[in-house]
Amino acid sequence: PLHDFALPVAWWADPQVAQVRRELAGFLEGRMGSGMFGFKDPRTIRLMPMWHQVFNELKLVPKIIYCVRNPAQVARSLRARDRILLDIGEYRWLCYNLEFFRYTKSLEFCTIEYETWFNEPEQNLARLTNFLDLPSCELDPDFDLTLSGIVESELRHDDPVLFAARQPLIRSTYQLARYADRDSATREQICHVATQFHAFQQLQTTFREQLGDFRTKLGAFEAQLSGAHADLSAEREQLSTARA
């Protein structure tokens, strides 16, 4: 329940986070080697301030690939996997994606849309190779065959009924996010939305604290209830013995 609230102010300065950051830096330093290295994890978006520190410590200039998907389909996927309500799934999409733009204001990135892998895989691959300064694969005679082996259409589980997000703000944010890397005005607009949304999230602090208190009390109540069930079972066993 607390997952979708904003992280604490200046959480990246916490000593426990600093320890994790040192472990990450050590892992990357030993893992990268001299070749290409990258990683993919949705939670990276929420932890970007810490990753900026890691990059600075290792003197790295990251190449950021922003993978975006229709929020309605993301919500559907979360409902199927984690039994999360569609509205909460869409809200989680909004939290993650606006944090991306809040934390990458001055950084170059490349947008790759999930849906286009199935419709325009060649265009997606061209965007990636150009952005990462990789040699083009299009002259390879087995290029189309290789690409078709990577992109498996049967793994796409979109629901055609869920064409767009329910909330207008999420729908408009999605449209801005799709073109933010190609249009400075669009990027400026979505960064402004991200800043305003972060200010709104700070107003939720009281609700987050109350929810935390409620969960603590609920945990204590569940422990008492479990103990009562254990006592009742013991009493039933004693009664059964006495009857026998």
Side-chain angles (χ1 to χ4, degrees):
L2 297 177
H3 180 95
D4 299 304
F5 286 111
L7 293 172
V9 175
W11 58 267
W12 54 85
D14 186 286
Q16 290 180 318
V17 176
Q19 174 60 32
V20 173
R21 188 185 72 242
R22 286 191 290 270
E23 292 178 17
L24 285 170
F27 170 79
L28 284 181
E29 206 165 20
R31 175 65 179 79
M32 286 186 300
S34 58
M36 294 288 293
F37 173 79
F39 66 93
K40 172 237 174 196
D41 182 7
R43 282 150 292 274
T44 303
I45 288 179
R46 303 206 72 186
L47 305 176
M48 282 294 281
M50 179 188 65
W51 280 107
H52 288 323
Q53 293 175 327
V54 171
F55 298 145
N56 289 334
E57 289 175 13
L58 298 179
K59 296 180 173 56
L60 298 174
V61 180
K63 289 274 191 176
I64 299 175
I65 300 167
Y66 172 52
C67 303
V68 64
R69 187 179 184 184
N70 186 324
Q73 299 302 335
V74 171
R76 180 212 57 78
S77 179
L78 290 174
R79 182 179 64 178
R81 189 189 69 184
D82 301 326
R83 301 292 186 268
I84 294 175
L85 296 175
L86 288 176
D87 287 338
I88 295 179
E90 290 185 2
Y91 181 79
R92 182 167 297 182
W93 180 96
L94 184 69
C95 291
Y96 270 63
N97 286 270
L98 287 181
E99 286 197 347
F100 172 82
F101 287 98
R102 193 164 69 88
Y103 292 140
T104 58
K105 287 182 178 179
S106 59
L107 297 177
E108 182 186 8
F109 66 92
C110 174
T111 299
I112 296 294
E113 296 188 56
Y114 171 84
E115 290 77 10
T116 57
W117 277 118
F118 304 97
N119 305 324
E120 305 165 344
E122 298 87 356
Q123 183 177 336
N124 255 4
L125 194 59
R127 286 176 59 81
L128 282 175
T129 53
N130 290 335
F131 181 70
L132 298 174
D133 297 324
L134 297 174
S136 176
C137 305
E138 295 178 3
L139 298 179
D140 187 331
D142 297 325
F143 172 74
D144 291 335
L145 184 62
T146 302
L147 193 57
S148 64
I150 296 173
V151 181
E152 300 182 27
S153 300
E154 61 271 16
L155 295 180
R156 184 178 185 180
H157 304 302
D158 287 1
D159 185 344
V161 176
L162 299 173
F163 178 74
R166 300 183 179 192
Q167 299 298 325
L169 173 61
I170 298 177
R171 290 199 299 268
S172 59
T173 300
Y174 174 51
Q175 293 305 319
L176 291 172
R178 295 175 64 194
Y179 304 105
D181 68 334
R182 284 163 272 177
D183 184 77
S184 58
T186 300
R187 184 172 184 177
E188 185 177 343
Q189 186 176 355
I190 197 171
C191 285
H192 176 71
V193 174
T195 300
Q196 296 299 313
F197 181 71
H198 179 65
F200 163 74
Q201 284 184 309
Q202 299 310 308
L203 299 176
Q204 297 176 331
T205 303
T206 301
F207 300 108
R208 181 176 63 218
E209 293 172 352
Q210 290 180 346
L211 183 58
D213 292 342
F214 173 75
R215 293 183 69 195
T216 300
K217 293 176 182 177
L218 181 62
F221 174 73
E222 288 176 340
Q224 292 175 359
L225 186 61
S226 177
H229 279 306
D231 293 341
L232 182 60
S233 297
E235 289 176 3
R236 285 175 175 170
E237 187 174 344
Q238 291 174 1
L239 181 60
S240 177
T241 303
R243 283 175 175 170

